[in-house]
Amino acid sequence: MAEPGRPVRSQGGAGGIAGTWPGGRTASAGGFVPAGLGFWPAFVETLREWAKAEAGAGRLFPWVPVAFGSGIALYFAADHEPVLWVAAATALVFALGAALLRRSRLFAPAIMIAAVVAGFAMATWKTARIAHIVLAKPLYSVSLSGFVETRDIRERTDRFVLRVTAMEAQRSDVKLDRVRLSVRKGTAPDVGSFVQLKARLMPPLAPLRPGSYDFSRDMFFQGIGASGFVMGAIKATAPPDAGGLQLRYAAVMQGLRDAIDARIRARLDGDNRAIATALLTGRRDAITTPVNDAMFISGLGHVLSISGYHMAVVAGVVFFVVRALLALIPGLAVGFPIKKWSAAAALFASAFYLLLSGAEVATQRSFFMTAVVLIAVMVDRRAITFRTLAVAALIVLAVAPEALVHPSFQMSYAATLGLVALVQIGMPNLFASPDHSTTARIALWGGREIAMLFMASTIAGLATTPYAAFHFHRVTPYGVLANLGAMPVVSALVMPAGLLGLLAAPFGLDGVFWWLMGIGIDWMIAVTRWVAALPGAVGHVTAFGIAPLIGASLGLILMGLLRTPLRWSGACVLVAAIVWGLSVRQPDILIAGNGQNVAVRGRDGQLHLIRTNKDNFLLKEWLAADADPRDAGSASFSDGVSCDESGCVTPLADGRIIALALRIDALADDCSRAALVVTARPAPPDCAAMVVDRSRLVRQGALALTRRGDGFAVQSVRARGANRPWSPAAAGDGDFELTLMPRSAAPRSKDATPSEVDLQAED
């Protein structure tokens, strides 16, 4: 007989708890059963039980956004833009098929396939909806007129986005919708104003090396067709027509952000003011480089970007304050749903915070997640569940499919998945205690809270590590330490003081709250600088391809969503992905897309740089991808490099010479002596060396070469035949191979003139 109060475990297979090893089962598992391994049928049967448990009712829905995101990933992996009507029709057919199979065993795979196709179609539709012209070639003197839509205040320069109404350029009839322009600090025009100016425009920044982040894709989905800088003065004039409701809204919100920044500036200055403004308005570009670098090295960089944490703090503070105030009113706490009222107030505050911070994609994602949680409270549902996370992910990916390939989305949802798994699976078991006395609760409260904070920081840090390593080529070994030291102060002092400062500002009573906020920021900066100065605080990671990242993502998803011991298969996949990523061979030569910078790996294993212009941003990216701790100003880059006015040469690790030819008259000499010649000019067709010249660079962009025998394997930014709206294919002929091989020496023509001696002998 079962003991009172204890559940009875079913002895049947289908009703048993996953993880219960059945005994005495003789059913054949099928397949080959090795002799002497009697446990094999039981093991296979247990796997079946676990699989049935994972496919149970309500367990498949969290996998729908995974399938939907996989379809979006397939869209971005395509070489050519898909045909919209074909993608939409295919999605409709598969959706109808899944609906017809809803009572069949095939419903689960059918709905997953339909979700994949729907994600692909949604991304295709989003691109077609926002399609616009992207600048292909630089324009050096362009007259522009238009409305200022956004403005960013940065450390050295300011930047604004111009909605173009008129554009004139010499020898070009291209018409762009929006451009992003840099100006001298303090000269950016107000949002909503109509201006006329001259500018130099450049195409959106392409990836700096194969596999690096595609900034041009980001700008395309922001509706920006070019970037550049203003030449001369900016003239504000009367607009020919009204800018529209959206522009007036942008001007109002920008004015509100400027007013908040002015109030903060009255009490705080320097990085304290910049961080306070970043936390409340989303403008984080004014933070000085040393503090910004220390924040990311220590693992506190997530504080500077308004994300789920900030939304959770805003919603949580408003929720508990409103609920506490309503509870003070006699009769309300008993007769009315003040909890739901508080959730509604928190939802309104979160929406206002979304608008105030600029409503970027990362902030929208955080708002949707917070809104789903608050709505769950309002309709008496569990707030923190995998279903909540799945609904929020579906909303974000449907509204902004491009968010899938952005690091903020990847890191945020990886961390959230880990935390939800911790809440749903780990914490109930970890903190269960048979003793519920008041004394025990008081004694254990502090220890439990610290343990929960430690575990949350650890889980979130580990979940985001693959994405930080892939995008930023670094890990934060002391991230948990920094979060334990700073986040309680940020949560309990900095953010609440900032919210109270916003509420008190209209009454002129906000000064004390900015002062309190500054105290908390001082502590946060002190913690981040201390952690960043610890030995080994910067964990450099070499670049690895997208395949190991996909494997790591799959491992995290399996560990987060599976409930049975099958979840440990995710750990195996994750370990395999890590080993794979760490074993990726780094290229021997890196060539910039303009052909003016070349990095060559020498005998010492480090990159040696041949450059004709100082592009520190490019150099930092190359060094980060190579896990090279050297500073961009290090003199060791020029070791072994010989230059003159015609070009530069440097030896490869195997002794062969790599040449960068700057002038046409240098090509003949370089072609006869070097193994590889890089030039931004057209190379002669009879060059004896391997060649990377203008035609290849224009078609393929930046290159990475890896030694393969006597030649090189070539990786390029643009795949062969690729043509996407944010990276249009260059005009002209040329289909380049994926390898560079030494050219066979052409046989010399023999002189046919007979000698005089032979002629005399014949005579």
CSV table of all heavy atoms in Angstrom, one decimal, residues 180 198 210 408 460 475 484 620 713 719 727 729:
chain,number,residue,atom,x,y,z
A,180,ARG,N,22.6,58.2,-43.4
A,180,ARG,CA,23.1,58.5,-42.0
A,180,ARG,C,24.4,59.3,-42.2
A,180,ARG,O,25.3,58.9,-42.8
A,180,ARG,CB,23.3,57.2,-41.3
A,180,ARG,CG,23.6,57.4,-39.8
A,180,ARG,CD,23.7,56.1,-39.1
A,180,ARG,NE,24.9,55.3,-39.5
A,180,ARG,CZ,25.1,54.1,-39.2
A,180,ARG,NH1,24.2,53.5,-38.4
A,180,ARG,NH2,26.1,53.4,-39.6
A,198,LYS,N,25.6,69.7,-48.0
A,198,LYS,CA,26.4,68.9,-49.0
A,198,LYS,C,27.1,67.8,-48.2
A,198,LYS,O,27.5,68.0,-47.0
A,198,LYS,CB,27.4,69.7,-49.7
A,198,LYS,CG,26.8,70.6,-50.8
A,198,LYS,CD,27.9,71.3,-51.6
A,198,LYS,CE,27.3,72.0,-52.8
A,198,LYS,NZ,26.7,71.1,-53.8
A,210,PRO,N,35.4,37.7,-44.1
A,210,PRO,CA,34.4,36.6,-44.2
A,210,PRO,C,34.0,36.1,-42.9
A,210,PRO,O,34.8,35.7,-42.0
A,210,PRO,CB,35.2,35.5,-45.0
A,210,PRO,CG,36.2,36.3,-45.8
A,210,PRO,CD,36.7,37.4,-44.9
A,408,SER,N,22.0,41.0,-30.1
A,408,SER,CA,21.2,41.3,-28.9
A,408,SER,C,20.1,40.3,-28.7
A,408,SER,O,19.7,39.9,-27.6
A,408,SER,CB,20.7,42.7,-29.0
A,408,SER,OG,19.8,42.9,-30.0
A,460,ALA,N,22.8,32.8,-17.0
A,460,ALA,CA,22.7,33.8,-18.0
A,460,ALA,C,24.1,34.0,-18.7
A,460,ALA,O,24.2,34.1,-19.9
A,460,ALA,CB,22.2,35.1,-17.5
A,475,VAL,N,35.3,36.4,-24.1
A,475,VAL,CA,34.4,35.9,-23.1
A,475,VAL,C,34.8,36.6,-21.8
A,475,VAL,O,35.8,37.3,-21.7
A,475,VAL,CB,34.6,34.3,-22.9
A,475,VAL,CG1,34.1,33.6,-24.1
A,475,VAL,CG2,36.1,34.0,-22.6
A,484,LEU,N,27.5,40.0,-9.5
A,484,LEU,CA,27.1,39.9,-8.1
A,484,LEU,C,27.5,41.2,-7.4
A,484,LEU,O,26.8,41.6,-6.4
A,484,LEU,CB,27.9,38.8,-7.5
A,484,LEU,CG,27.4,37.4,-7.8
A,484,LEU,CD1,28.4,36.3,-7.2
A,484,LEU,CD2,26.0,37.1,-7.3
A,620,LYS,N,41.2,46.6,-35.6
A,620,LYS,CA,40.6,46.0,-34.3
A,620,LYS,C,39.8,44.8,-34.6
A,620,LYS,O,39.9,43.8,-33.8
A,620,LYS,CB,39.8,47.1,-33.6
A,620,LYS,CG,40.6,48.2,-33.0
A,620,LYS,CD,39.7,49.2,-32.3
A,620,LYS,CE,40.5,50.3,-31.7
A,620,LYS,NZ,39.6,51.3,-31.0
A,713,ALA,N,43.3,28.4,-50.3
A,713,ALA,CA,41.8,28.3,-50.3
A,713,ALA,C,41.2,29.7,-50.0
A,713,ALA,O,41.7,30.4,-49.1
A,713,ALA,CB,41.3,27.3,-49.2
A,719,ALA,N,29.5,35.3,-51.5
A,719,ALA,CA,29.6,34.0,-52.1
A,719,ALA,C,29.4,34.1,-53.7
A,719,ALA,O,28.9,35.1,-54.2
A,719,ALA,CB,28.6,33.1,-51.6
A,727,SER,N,23.3,43.8,-50.3
A,727,SER,CA,24.6,43.6,-50.8
A,727,SER,C,24.4,43.2,-52.3
A,727,SER,O,24.6,42.0,-52.7
A,727,SER,CB,25.3,42.5,-50.0
A,727,SER,OG,26.6,42.3,-50.6
A,729,ALA,N,25.0,42.5,-56.2
A,729,ALA,CA,26.1,42.0,-56.9
A,729,ALA,C,26.7,43.1,-57.8
A,729,ALA,O,25.9,43.9,-58.4
A,729,ALA,CB,25.7,40.8,-57.8
